[in-house]
Amino acid sequence: MDIKQVRLISFSPTGTTAIILKNIAEGIGAEQVEQMNLTLPQSAQQKTAVPAEELALIGAPVYGGRLPVDAVKRLQQIQANNTPAVLVVTYGNRAFEDALLELKELTLTLGFVPLAGAAFIGEHSFATPEVPIANGRPDSEDVEKAVDFGRRVKEHLNAVQSFKELQDVPIPGNHPYKERHSMSIAPVTHASACTLCGTCVSLCPTGAIRIDGEAVLTTTELCIRCCACIKGCPEKARIWEGRTIADIADRLHQNCSRRKEPEFFGMDAQAPIC
């Protein structure tokens, strides 16, 4: 199969998943690469058709072993037509559990034909310099593996004549999927440090943050705890209050410090299950 165009479809609040997809695309080396960013609220009703002639790289982060609900809803606006797809999840060095299987089964219902999957490690949303959890990932080793994975995807596609020759991709996971656990908590703003620049508003994937006069307000019910506002605030004015998130981060730091490596699935022996 000669793929001339690659479409990168990502939900990536802190940019980690988008970086991985970009480097996989670099390894594929297609003539055209189109970005389709589903992260911000304006993409929620973005209906799109993806033709069979393209290759889709579809990625999302893992939250509690599952795909983010908002990522699922935005992906459901896409209609494919037997479009080959590479599926990617990124997780914070704990576990990706059912998220990649959930992504595979979701994309099948949308008309995609998954040919490979991967789980990459990214800096955990709750990580800080003081409490590191895969800080700085994806790093240069991860990027190199993403590019190499892209090369293998291209080789695999070059070896088949049509999507009908693609084998089913074995993905680990469970049915029913892991139950989602909700928390009624959101970051707050240190008014003394905030300059009302609006960066947090522009970064929030769910539109949970707004500026009202001299105050930055957050709708807790909309917050998905991605920490894009915390990591992106130039004044470090967005913080977690209380011990809830700090205690979770401490446990992750203690129990998930051993470096994990990306795992690849599908494409027969070229990308074995690790």
Side-chain angles (χ1 to χ4, degrees):
M1 296 174 62
D2 184 21
I3 300 293
K4 297 188 183 314
Q5 179 159 320
V6 172
R7 188 182 299 237
L8 311 186
I9 304 173
S10 65
F11 181 87
S12 185
T14 58
T16 299
T17 304
I19 289 171
I20 293 298
L21 295 190
K22 175 179 176 293
N23 283 283
I24 295 172
E26 181 180 327
I28 294 171
E31 295 177 7
Q32 300 177 30
V33 177
E34 181 177 339
Q35 302 271 355
M36 184 175 175
N37 190 337
L38 303 180
T39 306
L40 296 179
Q42 53 264 37
S43 68
Q45 303 302 320
Q46 183 178 331
K47 294 184 180 293
T48 306
V50 184
E53 296 76 23
E54 294 186 4
L55 170 65
L57 307 187
I58 307 173
V62 179
Y63 292 168
R66 297 286 302 278
L67 296 177
V69 172
D70 292 273
V72 172
K73 291 179 179 178
R74 293 173 195 181
L75 284 167
Q76 287 173 334
Q77 302 299 311
I78 300 173
Q79 184 61 55
N81 181 24
N82 291 320
T83 308
V86 174
L87 313 178
V88 177
V89 295
T90 57
Y91 68 103
N93 208 55
R94 186 186 69 83
F96 60 92
E97 294 175 282
D98 299 333
L100 190 57
L101 178 63
E102 184 180 10
L103 183 58
K104 173 191 173 181
E105 294 178 344
L106 171 62
T107 54
L108 283 169
T109 68
L110 301 176
F112 290 98
V113 181
L115 66 95
F120 279 83
I121 293 79
E123 181 175 310
H124 198 282
S125 297
F126 299 163
T128 66
E130 297 74 27
V131 185
I133 314 164
N135 286 24
R137 308 229 8 223
D139 56 20
S140 59
E141 292 182 33
D142 297 314
V143 166
E144 183 179 346
K145 290 179 180 180
V147 173
D148 182 65
F149 180 52
R151 294 192 188 103
R152 287 185 281 140
V153 167
K154 181 177 182 178
E155 291 171 1
H156 183 68
L157 284 172
N158 287 341
V160 300
Q161 298 300 313
S162 74
F163 71 87
K164 296 179 181 179
E165 298 178 39
L166 299 175
Q167 301 291 317
D168 181 55
V169 183
I171 299 292
N174 300 290
H175 292 107
Y177 301 143
K178 183 180 178 181
E179 185 179 353
R180 299 184 190 276
H181 295 286
S182 60
M183 291 189 291
S184 183
I185 187 172
V188 298
T189 301
H190 254 324
S192 61
C194 179
T195 63
L196 300 176
C197 69
T199 299
C200 57
V201 177
S202 68
L203 292 174
C204 182
T206 61
I209 309 171
R210 71 186 190 279
I211 296 176
D212 185 2
E214 295 298 308
V216 176
L217 304 178
T218 305
T219 303
T220 301
E221 295 75 18
L222 293 178
C223 178
I224 60 173
R225 291 160 294 281
C226 66
C227 295
C229 62
I230 292 177
K231 294 180 183 291
C233 177
E235 306 300 330
K236 308 301 180 188
R238 291 286 288 180
I239 62 169
W240 291 108
E241 271 189 337
R243 288 295 311 173
T244 301
I245 298 300
D247 288 343
I248 295 172
D250 285 341
R251 289 197 298 272
L252 290 168
H253 171 65
Q254 293 170 14
N255 300 323
C256 305
S257 292
R258 182 181 62 83
R259 180 185 175 93
K260 293 189 176 182
E261 299 298 336
E263 298 182 46
F264 305 101
F265 307 91
M267 298 192 299
D268 302 322
Q270 293 187 26
I273 296 179
C274 299

